[in-house]
Amino acid sequence: MSVEFNLSNIIKAPVVSEKSTVAAENHNRFVFKVASQATKLQVKKSVELMFNVEVEKVQILNVKGKAKRFGRFMGKRSDWKKAYVKLKEGHDIDFSAA
C-alpha cells in the first residue's frame, strides 16, 4: 500500500508545450514534471500504475531555474526535473479524457 502511495507522488504534472505535443504525436513520447529525487525506475512504475500502459524507455533531465527580476530584487526560479517517457507500441495516454 505504501509503495503505491509513494509512486503516486512521483509524477507532478504533464508538460504541455509545442515540443511535448510533437513528441507525443510522432514518437509516442510523453513528458512529465516529476519529483526532484525521482529515478527512472520509479517514474516507469508510476506511469504504468497511473495510466495502465506499458513503458518502453524513460529519459530524465534536470531543468535549471531561470534567474529572474522580481521588482528591484534578483531572484531565481526553482530547479525541477523532467521525464520523457516512451510507451510501447499500441499504448497511448489521453490527457483530454482524464
Side-chain angles (χ1 to χ4, degrees):
M1 182 77 164
S2 63
V3 173
E4 291 180 14
F5 177 73
N6 291 339
L7 289 178
S8 67
N9 292 332
I10 298 295
I11 296 179
K12 294 185 176 181
V15 175
V16 180
S17 65
E18 190 171 344
K19 183 177 179 181
S20 66
T21 304
V22 168
E25 290 174 354
N26 297 340
H27 306 292
N28 206 21
R29 278 177 196 257
F30 296 89
V31 186
F32 297 98
K33 184 174 185 177
V34 296
S36 58
Q37 64 273 35
T39 64
K40 289 182 179 185
L41 186 59
Q42 289 172 333
V43 171
K44 178 180 178 176
K45 287 182 178 180
S46 183
V47 169
E48 288 178 344
L49 180 72
M50 290 178 72
F51 298 105
N52 197 22
V53 294
E54 290 185 34
V55 173
E56 181 178 322
K57 183 173 162 181
V58 176
Q59 292 178 306
I60 291 183
L61 59 110
N62 290 313
V63 180
K64 302 293 182 192
K66 292 182 178 181
K68 300 293 281 186
R69 179 173 297 281
F70 297 101
R72 60 184 186 153
F73 303 104
M74 282 302 289
K76 182 180 175 292
R77 290 186 181 166
S78 300
D79 298 339
W80 56 286
K81 192 176 264 192
K82 181 176 10 179
Y84 284 89
V85 178
K86 181 172 175 70
L87 301 181
K88 289 188 177 177
E89 199 65 39
H91 291 273
D92 192 27
I93 297 174
D94 186 15
F95 292 118
S96 61

